[in-house]
Structures are given as structure tokens and as C-alpha cells.
Amino acid sequence: MEKRVTNGQAWWLRLLTLSFAAAVSLTAGIAFLDLVGGNRPVLIDWVRTILLVLTGFWLVWGGTIGLLGALSPAPRAPKKRPMPQGKTAILVPIYNEDPLETFSRIAAMNRQIVARGFASQFHFAILSDTTSLEVAAEEASEFERLIVEPEAPGRIFYRRRERNVGRKAGNIEDFIARSGGAYDYALILDADSLMEADTILTMAQRMDDDPRLGLLQSVPVVIGARTLFGRMMAYSSAYFSKYFSRGAAMMQGEDGPYWGHNAIVRVRAFASCCGLPVLSGKPPYGGHILSHDYVEAALLARGGWKVEVDPELGGSFEQGPENLIEYAKRDRRWCQGNLQHRRLIAAPGLKFWSRFTFVQGIMAYLASPLWLLLLAASLIASVLPDSGGERWGVTPWLIGIGVLTTLLLPKIAIAIRGALDGNNRRFGNWRIIPSVLGEIILSTIIAPVLLAFQSRAVFQILFGFDGGWPATERDARAVSLNTAFAASWWIVVTAIGAIAFMAFVGPAFLPWLLPVAAPALAAPLVIWATSRGGDSPVSQWLFSVPSERAPSPIITEANAILSSWRATEPVLMSGRVETGVHAPA
């Protein structure tokens, strides 16, 4: 995005959007209190009103970001730039991943970089924190394939830490401390990341052009989905995320986010600012910081460096969870990491927006149990005397209409904007309406299940349970019905209890409970069904994305290399791999 929002403009946008979200949520709260409490509200009425205002604020805030992105002017085409001057290390931290898939992606990126003629400016460093000896042996074997790729010797390095202190953040810090002095920039990827060489080149050139730019974050798009859940996530990522990210970028200005991967950092800035503390006490609140990326972005901003996100870069990809259980497992780690940030909100020297980002990240998870508390309080209020129960009948429908409007309005605006700027053509113009409707319906069915998983995660952390850092099973797809039931039986029991309670004490209010309780009651079926169906004609037609309709060259290259490598047995060349190898210091 060549024309970027200044910090002064970002402040005005922040003030306007925060004021709008506050005004809408407070107005809704006052109207709600008047409707259910009348002139004599009781305690339960005040509790519900406060919960509605809190949850409504963050809901409106998120919707406003999407609307802002949909209504913002189209960015100008980027200028052509010369060869990047700085030297970049492309870092790929791995932790018990599938080496074949990860290394084939690295090979694809390397081939493109070599073909562009700037191989000397870009090195790869594979930073293994793998704890499984079997997987470590596979990594060493696959590195033998990688080291014979074009111009790989002296440019592609592999090392494995025996002790993964600090997890991913510690892995990156270890490289920066040992070898960072050899490089100007570091492009940080995940094991499932994939980026076009032209995107990598552009990001390095942007760092050359702006000596104050400390971090530039791309907006990765989910690719490779093979289940119904994965396809829905991929479609949402490809179709909606650019506009939501565009709106967020306008408000963030130079105090933008870092999502831990598919981003380039200035090594000098990162080394001087981003040493992470070990929080006192035991996990889940103490120990190493799990959501390190938000903290590193805040530390860079505190150090006077620009932190920017550019949704217009393109050519940035990642894989996503293929079923709800894997999504919930990853989400549990993020939840614990975000709730840790409550101890950092008051850290000295941080910018206001960095502190607000911490609060926003915390509320992204606290909102789920707050919605459940609002639901529980409303169930109680419906049968309590003097609680406005007799006036409660119309209220849930008004709340539902308000929530749906807030959620749907940005998506409708994005669909209209896509028709105006030509984006819809990439997805098939005549598919947009059924595809967006399909995404809305499926996400609505899934939402109560995700809300339950997130609420459980919050309560587990509040009660002191540490979720740790489980390895991601990126290839996990179909879930058996038994596995789905084992993971969600407690959601079913909770739904049965809520339905039985309402049927017994207030059957007139049961209809407004069912839209939430019914998907929760069917949680095992929802998990099981959405972990399948990705190859069905309906799923492929509804959730067709550009990465499948017209694959990016890097996707085609990576798939071809992976197929070729899978067709051949690994050939070990003893003595080639040294687990202590680092890029030259």
C-alpha cells in the first residue's frame, strides 16, 4: 500500500471508531435496561445490561473495522524498485513438523529467488526445536534433498537446538544472538508458510526505502484446505481478510501488529528492542510469554520503530487447521498467551495503542464467557420475580437482530465493494452470494461450539491450568465420531441442562435459546461433519478460492516439488548434516 495512513490520521480514526462503538453499545444498553427493567430495574437487570454493553462494544468495534476496510479507497499500484540492498535471512522455525512438506516449500521459495537473480541477498535458516528423535532424523534426511537445490550450499542452513528454551520466540532470539549480525533483515516464516519471491523482494525493498521501518507484516491467505471446516476458513481468509486488515491498518498506522510469521523485521531493531522477559511465577500467567508477537510489536513501537501491516502485498500464504479440534487446540495456546498480557498492559514506556492492542487481545477471549454469562443471567431473569421477565419476550429477538446486523453488515459491504473493484471476479461473480451465505450459515452453526471451547479455555486458565505449547498437527483432517464426542461431550451435557432448565421453568422462552443450544447439542456431529466434505462438489463450488482457481506460481512449484519428493525414497549422504550449523556470523 504505497499511500499509508500517518499516525495523526490513525489517531483520528481510532477516536472516531472507538467513540462510535462506545455510543452504539451504550445506547443498546440503555434501551435494553429500559425494556427489561423499566423504571425499577433490579440487580439481575443491571448485570445483564453491563454484560451486553461490554460484549456489544467489542462486537461493534470489530464490525466497524470491516466496514472501514470495505469503504476505504483502493491503494495505488506499488512503484517498481531496484534490487534490494540489504541482506535478508529467511527464518523457518520448526517444532515436530512434517519435514517433507516444510522443506519442499523452502525448496520452492529458493528456486524462485534463484530464478529472479538475487540469491546472494537471501539466505534460509531452518531453526529446529524438534523434540522427537524420529522427526529430527527425518529433518536431517530431508535436508539432504534441500542442500542439493540450486545455489543451496552456503545459503541454506539447518540447526537443531537440544533445549527449546523460550519456544519459538527463544528459537528466533537464539539465531539473532548467534548469527543476526550477518544480516540486515530477517523474514520470519512458520513451518507452513509460503511466499512468492516477488513478495519477499518487495518487503526487503520496503525496508531499504524506510530506515525507520522496524517490522512489515503481510496478510497471509489460507491455502491447501481439504475439509469443509478448512475450506470455510480458507474462503473467509481469502475473501474477507484483506478488507478487515485494510481497515485495521488504517487505524494502527505505525503501531501495527505482528502475527509471528510472514513478516520481515529489521535485525538491528529486533535485537535492540525485543528481548522478552520471563514472567515471574508459574504458568499459565508466569513463565515464557506465549503470544510473543504482540509483545515484540509493542517493544518495537516503544523503541521508536514503525510497525506496519500491508494487506495489499499479496503472495503470502499459510495453512490452517482442518478441523474444530485442531483449531481449538491452537486457540487454547493463543488464549493463554493473550491472557498473560494483562501483566504487561502497564509496562513502562509502551504506546497507548500497544496497550489497547493487549486489551483487545484479552477481550477476544473473555468475550466468549461474557456472552455465556449474559445467556445464563437471562435464563435466570426470565423466571425471577421483579426482574423484567414479563417484558423479556421480545428482548432476545432484538438482541439477536442487533448481533446479526453487526456481524453481517461488514460482509455485505465487502461483497458490494468486491463487485465495484473487481475482486469478485477472482472468486466467480455469480458464486459470491451463495458462497457468502454458505460461509455465514456454516460459521453460525459452528459459533456456539467455538464459544464453548473458548469459554472452557478461559476458565481453565483462570483456575491455573497450563495448556503448554502442543505441537500442531497441520495434516490432521477427518475426525471420527468417537473422537468428536470425546472432545465435546461436556458441550452436549451443558446444552441438555440449559434446554431442560428452560423447558421446566420457562418454556415460553425456549425458542430463543435453541439457536445457541441446538448446535451445541449437536457438537460431536458438527465437529465430525465439518472435518469431512472438503472434496464434495458442493463444498468445492461454494468455497472456491483464487489459490485453487488460478494457483499462484509458488503454490504450483511447491506442490510439484512435494509430489516429486514423495515419489522417491530419501537418499542419505552421511556427513553432510551438522546439527550445530548456523548461518555465518
Side-chain angles (χ1 to χ4, degrees):
M1 192 191 302
E2 286 299 305
K3 188 178 180 180
R4 287 175 287 278
V5 174
T6 65
N7 256 12
Q9 293 169 325
W11 268 107
W12 278 108
L13 284 171
R14 295 168 188 172
L15 180 62
L16 288 172
T17 52
L18 287 171
S19 298
F20 176 75
V24 171
S25 58
L26 285 172
T27 301
I30 292 170
F32 175 83
L33 186 63
D34 182 66
L35 185 63
V36 301
N39 295 323
R40 300 181 59 187
V42 295
L43 178 61
I44 195 70
D45 298 325
W46 285 105
V47 169
R48 287 184 292 163
T49 301
I50 293 171
L51 289 171
L52 180 64
V53 171
L54 284 175
T55 53
F57 173 84
W58 294 105
L59 195 65
V60 174
W61 165 257
T64 304
I65 290 174
L67 277 176
L68 185 62
L71 299 175
S72 63
R76 295 182 299 183
K79 299 176 182 177
K80 291 186 177 180
R81 293 181 171 88
M83 172 79 103
Q85 300 302 305
K87 196 169 185 178
T88 301
I90 301 175
L91 309 184
V92 188
I94 54 178
Y95 176 64
N96 296 322
E97 315 280 352
D98 180 349
L100 189 65
E101 293 198 359
T102 300
F103 286 37
S104 64
R105 285 187 282 266
I106 295 171
M109 289 184 282
N110 178 64
R111 288 184 187 182
Q112 275 201 350
I113 288 172
V114 171
R116 297 297 190 277
F118 48 91
S120 62
Q121 299 298 108
F122 294 87
H123 291 179
F124 288 86
I126 303 164
L127 310 177
S128 174
D129 259 358
T130 293
T131 54
S132 165
L133 294 180
E134 181 181 355
V135 176
E138 292 176 9
E139 290 174 0
S141 173
E142 296 307 328
F143 184 67
E144 294 291 337
R145 296 183 194 260
L146 199 54
I147 202 63
V148 297
E149 286 291 310
E151 300 190 38
R155 287 185 50 255
I156 300 181
F157 306 92
Y158 168 89
R159 73 100 172 97
R160 175 171 169 255
R161 293 198 302 171
E162 294 183 358
R163 297 176 60 246
N164 57 336
V165 177
R167 301 184 174 91
K168 179 181 174 181
N171 200 357
I172 300 293
E173 182 179 345
D174 178 79
F175 175 86
I176 296 292
R178 292 172 178 263
S179 306
Y183 300 97
D184 299 287
Y185 317 126
L187 178 68
I188 300 174
L189 304 179
D190 262 354
D192 62 348
S193 296
L194 189 64
M195 294 187 77
E196 287 282 356
D198 289 341
T199 302
I200 296 171
L201 174 62
T202 298
M203 295 177 78
Q205 289 166 335
R206 286 273 293 276
M207 301 298 282
D208 286 341
D209 290 348
D210 189 350
R212 285 194 57 230
L213 185 58
L215 185 149
L216 178 61
Q217 175 70 61
S218 70
V219 179
V221 173
V222 174
I223 59 171
R226 302 181 188 177
T227 66
L228 182 58
F229 177 79
R231 282 189 172 277
M232 182 202 72
M233 296 290 288
Y235 188 86
S236 179
S237 166
Y239 190 67
F240 297 119
S241 65
K242 180 176 75 171
Y243 295 98
F244 275 91
S245 299
R246 187 184 290 175
M250 293 174 66
M251 274 188 295
Q252 290 157 347
E254 297 176 0
D255 306 327
Y258 171 40
W259 299 323
H261 59 92
N262 292 43
I264 192 168
V265 301
R266 192 176 301 273
V267 171
R268 178 168 61 90
F270 202 81
S272 62
C273 296
C274 295
L276 296 179
V278 177
L279 300 177
S280 60
K282 296 181 179 180
Y285 291 117
H288 293 284
I289 296 173
L290 298 185
S291 294
H292 57 89
D293 38 16
Y294 278 25
V295 180
E296 288 157 346
L299 294 176
L300 283 169
R302 183 177 72 172
W305 296 97
K306 292 181 181 180
V307 180
E308 295 181 349
V309 58
D310 191 344
E312 317 304 328
L313 280 168
S316 179
F317 308 101
E318 65 174 337
Q319 290 183 326
E322 291 277 57
N323 60 65
L324 274 161
I325 293 177
E326 280 303 305
Y327 183 93
K329 184 170 72 173
R330 184 183 70 172
D331 208 46
R332 171 64 171 80
R333 186 183 79 226
W334 288 354
C335 177
Q336 182 169 328
N338 283 18
L339 293 187
Q340 279 182 320
H341 291 167
R342 70 176 181 81
R343 300 185 59 185
L344 303 173
I345 293 174
L350 294 183
K351 292 189 175 183
F352 165 80
W353 198 249
S354 297
R355 301 184 198 276
F356 179 80
T357 300
F358 286 157
V359 174
Q360 185 180 7
I362 291 169
M363 286 304 301
Y365 289 95
L366 287 185
S368 289
L370 289 179
W371 276 111
L372 281 183
L373 288 174
L374 175 59
L375 178 63
S378 298
L379 289 175
I380 295 171
S382 65
V383 296
L384 285 180
D386 301 322
S387 65
E390 67 278 4
R391 296 181 297 277
W392 174 239
V394 71
T395 308
W397 304 111
L398 293 177
I399 294 176
I401 291 170
V403 170
L404 284 175
T405 301
T406 305
L407 292 173
L408 296 183
L409 193 58
K411 295 185 177 182
I412 294 171
I414 289 171
I416 295 172
R417 177 59 184 273
L420 296 175
D421 65 14
N423 187 53
N424 287 359
R425 286 196 298 269
R426 300 171 57 238
F427 295 82
N429 276 319
W430 49 285
R431 299 188 189 191
I432 293 300
I433 293 177
S435 295
V436 170
L437 285 176
E439 190 274 341
I440 290 170
I441 292 170
L442 187 57
S443 60
T444 300
I445 294 171
I446 289 173
V449 182
L450 288 180
L451 183 142
F453 278 125
Q454 284 191 342
S455 298
R456 182 181 68 168
V458 171
F459 288 129
Q460 285 176 337
I461 294 163
L462 291 178
F463 284 102
F465 292 98
D466 176 25
W469 190 292
T472 302
E473 295 182 44
R474 303 186 194 274
D475 203 39
R477 297 189 183 100
V479 174
S480 70
L481 202 53
N482 285 339
T483 301
F485 183 79
S488 61
W489 63 268
W490 56 275
I491 302 177
V492 177
V493 171
T494 304
I496 291 173
I499 293 172
F501 173 82
M502 188 52 67
F504 180 72
V505 301
F509 305 111
L510 189 59
W512 69 261
L513 176 65
L514 289 179
V516 176
L521 186 64
L525 288 174
V526 171
I527 294 171
W528 171 79
T530 56
S531 74
R532 288 164 166 75
D535 297 328
S536 71
V538 174
S539 176
Q540 290 182 337
W541 188 88
L542 271 183
F543 300 132
S544 174
V545 291
S547 62
E548 293 178 335
R549 296 166 62 87
S552 171
I554 193 66
I555 297 175
T556 303
E557 183 79 55
N559 288 339
I561 293 173
L562 180 60
S563 297
S564 173
W565 285 9
R566 277 180 171 161
T568 59
E569 292 294 326
V571 180
L572 293 175
M573 293 174 281
S574 60
R576 181 70 64 87
V577 179
E578 299 177 18
T579 57
V581 170
H582 285 271

